Amino acid sequence: MSDHFQLVCRVPRAMASLEEQFGSLVRHHRERLGMSQQDLGDLVDRTAVTIGRIERGESSPMFEALAIFASALKVDVRELFGIGDYAAQAGRDDPLVSIVQRLSTLGPDDLAFIDEMISAALKLRRSS
């Protein structure tokens, strides 16, 4: 294992709030559709500033607005709280939280590159 990998793994993770995890998933779905914050704001009757605050976990929509957000993002409401086996939960503190938050800011080309890197790393790990 390289020194760089060990050093990165020792960096403490901050516990992500449910709002931060939710916001990361909103950002992921918005960018997946190629929407700007303004585009999404127009669809859900919010300002781009408010969408930015939601995506950063500084604010969250009222329960009644979740269906409106899901419809605008073309997902089921449950997909605003998880992807695959990942489920947002209050006080979640594990590497998957920071991975989801980081990935939610990337575009399709970067996501494809990261996917290839993960596949290669897992293949290498399984062979050792």
Side-chain angles (χ1 to χ4, degrees):
M1 189 177 314
S2 74
D3 292 334
H4 174 72
F5 181 75
Q6 290 175 349
L7 177 64
V8 170
C9 288
R10 280 189 242 139
V11 175
R13 294 180 310 273
M15 195 176 313
S17 70
L18 184 59
E19 290 84 358
E20 290 169 324
Q21 295 170 68
F22 175 85
S24 291
L25 290 168
V26 168
R27 180 184 310 114
H28 163 75
H29 290 299
R30 176 182 59 77
E31 291 180 345
R32 176 183 55 79
L33 293 173
M35 296 173 132
S36 68
Q37 289 177 335
Q38 184 65 53
D39 294 336
L40 178 57
D42 290 345
L43 290 172
V44 298
D45 197 29
R46 304 289 190 282
T47 66
V49 170
T50 298
I51 299 300
R53 289 178 43 83
I54 289 170
E55 290 181 356
R56 292 188 301 277
E58 298 168 359
S59 180
S60 57
M62 300 293 290
F63 186 77
E64 298 82 19
L66 293 178
I68 297 168
F69 270 82
S71 176
L73 294 168
K74 298 179 179 17
V75 296
D76 292 330
V77 171
R78 67 188 160 143
E79 292 179 77
L80 297 175
F81 292 96
I83 296 175
D85 291 337
Y86 172 81
Q89 44 186 276
R92 184 168 182 158
D93 183 25
D94 62 59
L96 195 52
V97 172
S98 65
I99 291 168
V100 169
Q101 288 178 321
R102 289 177 184 168
L103 293 178
S104 70
T105 65
L106 301 178
D109 291 341
D110 289 331
L111 287 171
F113 173 75
I114 296 297
D115 184 45
E116 290 175 21
M117 297 299 295
I118 290 171
S119 294
L122 291 174
K123 184 177 180 181
L124 181 63
R125 183 175 177 108
R126 287 184 197 120
S127 67
S128 38

